[in-house]
Amino acid sequence: MNRSRIADLSLLIVAMMWGCTFLIVQHAVRVLPPLAFNGIRFLGAALLLALIITFFYRSQWRDISGRMLLHSCLLGLFLFLGYAFQTVGLLYTTTSNAGFITGLSVVFVPFLALLLLKSPISRYTWISALLAAAGLYLLAFAGTALTLNKGDFLIFLCAVAFALHVAYTGVFAP
């Protein structure tokens, strides 16, 4: 199999896994409170990351500066808000709405970068953003109307937080 097919297959698998997580999380938060679920989920990830860093990147600890810590705290806050809003929002909305609205975070990134960071937006970005929003709508709501509720608003805040995370990652880690 050539590299192009492997890349396409990998993207398909990632997209399937991303979509499945909405269902998994939606069922999980019926058993555990949303923030407890996130706490357990990310505590495990943090422990695994700590092991990897300890064994493979120990020599780079001295390169960490106060500025890097401040930037990482801000990025961590955006990431926390994104997952917190998303997990709580899944209590009150449908999986398709959550997927559609979360997917809009990709569309929000250039516009947040324009507003907050004064990064210019090309006409291709404008066109791409409109096409992406239309495509996400068609994928998530084929034949049904978009109805907004409390969960949709929380998921919208999640998308904004994820977009802020991506925009500021571009600033802090060019």
Side-chain angles (χ1 to χ4, degrees), residues 59-80:
S59 63
Q60 295 179 358
W61 278 100
R62 65 179 169 270
D63 296 335
I64 296 174
S65 67
R67 188 174 181 172
M68 285 175 70
L69 287 174
L70 182 65
H71 292 170
S72 64
C73 286
L74 182 63
L75 292 175
L77 175 66
F78 291 143
L79 205 55
F80 165 77

Side-chain angles (χ1 to χ4, degrees), residues 77-96:
L77 175 66
F78 291 143
L79 205 55
F80 165 77
L81 289 172
Y83 280 107
F85 285 131
Q86 185 180 67
T87 309
V88 174
L90 278 166
L91 288 172
Y92 306 105
T93 192
T94 64
T95 306
S96 61

Side-chain angles (χ1 to χ4, degrees), residues 10-28:
S10 298
L11 284 174
L12 178 64
I13 291 169
V14 167
M16 287 173 36
M17 291 174 67
W18 181 77
C20 290
T21 59
F22 287 99
L23 285 171
I24 293 167
V25 171
Q26 197 163 42
H27 289 294

Side-chain angles (χ1 to χ4, degrees), residues 27-128:
H27 289 294
V29 295
R30 291 183 182 147
V31 177
L32 285 171
L35 295 180
F37 170 75
N38 277 349
I40 293 167
R41 181 177 171 193
F42 292 110
L43 182 62
L47 292 174
L48 180 63
L49 184 62
L51 284 172
I52 292 170
I53 288 172
T54 300
F55 287 110
F56 297 107
Y57 299 101
R58 183 181 305 174
S59 63
Q60 295 179 358
W61 278 100
R62 65 179 169 270
D63 296 335
I64 296 174
S65 67
R67 188 174 181 172
M68 285 175 70
L69 287 174
L70 182 65
H71 292 170
S72 64
C73 286
L74 182 63
L75 292 175
L77 175 66
F78 291 143
L79 205 55
F80 165 77
L81 289 172
Y83 280 107
F85 285 131
Q86 185 180 67
T87 309
V88 174
L90 278 166
L91 288 172
Y92 306 105
T93 192
T94 64
T95 306
S96 61
N97 281 19
F100 168 69
I101 298 168
T102 300
L104 287 176
S105 65
V106 175
V107 177
F108 296 159
V109 170
F111 300 105
L112 285 173
L114 172 69
L115 290 172
L116 301 172
L117 311 171
K118 308 300 183 226
S119 298
I121 298 178
S122 72
R123 66 178 173 192
Y124 298 111
T125 302
W126 285 98
I127 293 167
S128 299

